[in-house]
Amino acid sequence: MLAVAAAAISFFGLTAPASAAFPVHGVVLGGGQGQLVIRTQGAPGELPAGTYRWHTTQPGPAPAAGTEVDALVEGPPYRAIDVHPAGAFIAGLPGSLKVTLLHPGDGLPDRTLVDQQGRVHQLSEWRDKSVLLSFIYTRCPDQQICPAISGKFAYLQHHIDPSRTHLVLVSLDPMFDSPSVLARYGAQFDADASRWSLMTGEGAQVKALLDAFGVSSLEDEPGRYIHEDDLVMIRPGGTIAEIIPTAGWAPSDVLAELNAVNGGSGNSLQRLALAAVAGIASLCQGYSVSQIMVELGAIGITFVFAFGLLGWFGWRILMRGD
């Protein structure tokens, strides 16, 4: 099999990648003497689909021929690293029977991801800082979700102290969103990689992270996902401070809460507004407004009226202060 595969090889050096490292998924055709022959669908902007012979320093025996694998490819000199058996990435609902969902107070799981510059990172690298983490994909057609989140991150990157806070957006479409695709996407928002990492990774790593936060991602048609849009705030030390289950947050409110997480005194009204947005979003998950009112009846109507009245009084107080 190896001889047949070798005859069909497209040597990697003839297709220079745009990034230093990028994830691939493929099938092992053979190997030996520190090399693997892998057939892969490639990575957009990085590597065409084909069959490649890569050097590897992976310890232990090579995966058997026919094994589906995830790997990171880096270089030059080009080599496959972190090669391990893995099924193809399939978007879907988190496996609740297999995964323990994360909540505020839990530690952020460490995952190996690759940023828009092709640099390999562990999430633990930023444990001495606070982190704002959310999920997007570059082909998202809904301007109210992924582009809106990215636009807010573009604003946030100019209002954080990079010595204390880092921004992370993880793609929930890792098979398409290669580092070079993320780099082009980030350029639309003037993303500064020293403050804001747009990240992809091996399918298994990304799926494990999505599942841990309970982020569902359903592909209703090729290249189009219906997904949740949580914002996760992680305090220095790596524990989760807040999970905001909506893209409807205001950057100024998030900055106020972030200041408090970093040990400062964030604006109380802005922090209250963020808590209200998170609370209402949690209440409304899976429901329309009319369904919420049917479920809660008079209690729901009273709650909405009281919240509106409180907001009106707060606005009047602020106006008098000005």
Side-chain angles (χ1 to χ4, degrees):
M1 177 178 291
L2 180 57
V4 173
I9 292 295
S10 298
F11 284 96
F12 186 79
L14 298 180
T15 312
S19 306
F22 55 90
V24 297
H25 181 81
V27 177
V28 174
L29 299 183
Q33 298 182 340
Q35 295 185 342
L36 280 176
V37 177
I38 297 177
R39 183 177 65 240
T40 175
Q41 294 182 348
E46 310 283 356
L47 181 75
T51 302
Y52 299 85
R53 185 195 302 275
W54 288 318
H55 291 284
T56 178
T57 57
Q58 189 80 3
T67 303
E68 283 192 74
V69 294
D70 277 346
L72 293 179
V73 174
E74 69 173 14
Y78 300 111
R79 59 187 182 132
I81 62 173
D82 191 29
V83 182
H84 57 271
F89 177 83
I90 300 175
L93 298 174
S96 59
L97 297 179
K98 301 179 181 179
V99 176
T100 300
L101 295 180
L102 296 171
H103 299 93
D106 293 335
L108 178 68
D110 203 10
R111 295 292 170 194
T112 301
L113 299 171
V114 184
D115 71 9
Q116 68 266 41
Q117 295 185 326
R119 297 177 302 186
V120 180
H121 295 277
Q122 303 290 325
L123 286 177
S124 58
E125 289 179 27
W126 296 297
R127 282 199 176 147
D128 61 338
K129 301 180 180 183
S130 57
V131 174
L132 289 177
L133 168 70
S134 193
F135 304 90
I136 56 95
Y137 71 108
T138 63
R139 295 185 287 182
C140 180
D142 190 339
Q143 295 298 311
Q144 301 302 312
I145 304 181
C146 301
I149 293 171
S150 302
K152 292 175 184 181
F153 269 58
Y155 174 86
L156 291 172
Q157 72 175 337
H158 298 297
H159 293 81
I160 60 169
D161 179 350
S163 69
R164 304 184 67 187
T165 301
H166 194 72
L167 308 178
V168 176
L169 283 185
V170 178
S171 170
L172 46 82
D173 185 14
M175 297 299 98
F176 181 83
D177 287 340
S178 66
S180 63
V181 171
L182 290 174
R184 289 194 298 271
Y185 179 81
Q188 299 175 48
F189 300 93
D190 294 323
D192 180 348
S194 67
R195 297 168 177 253
W196 176 10
S197 296
L198 293 104
M199 310 202 80
T200 187
E202 300 168 24
Q205 294 279 341
V206 172
K207 188 66 167 70
L209 192 61
L210 293 174
D211 285 355
F213 284 108
V215 174
S216 61
S217 173
L218 300 173
E219 190 171 17
D220 66 337
E221 60 183 69
R224 182 187 176 106
Y225 295 85
I226 299 172
H227 64 94
E228 291 169 320
D229 42 25
D230 293 5
L231 174 70
V232 183
M233 188 175 296
I234 299 132
R235 59 172 54 92
T239 59
I240 297 167
E242 305 284 349
I243 299 178
I244 313 300
T246 176
W249 46 271
S252 57
D253 297 342
V254 166
L255 288 169
E257 185 66 21
L258 184 63
N259 191 42
V261 165
N262 283 334
S265 55
N267 182 287
S268 297
L269 285 177
Q270 290 178 318
R271 295 180 64 197
L272 177 62
L274 183 65
V277 167
I280 292 173
S282 296
L283 182 67
C284 295
Q285 281 186 326
Y287 293 88
S288 66
V289 173
S290 61
Q291 286 175 313
I292 288 291
M293 290 307 178
V294 169
E295 292 288 336
L296 296 182
I299 295 176
I301 295 171
T302 302
F303 170 79
V304 172
F305 175 78
F307 184 79
L309 189 62
L310 178 62
W312 182 82
F313 275 117
W315 177 80
R316 293 290 295 173
I317 291 170
L318 288 175
M319 292 301 99
R320 288 178 182 177
D322 289 342

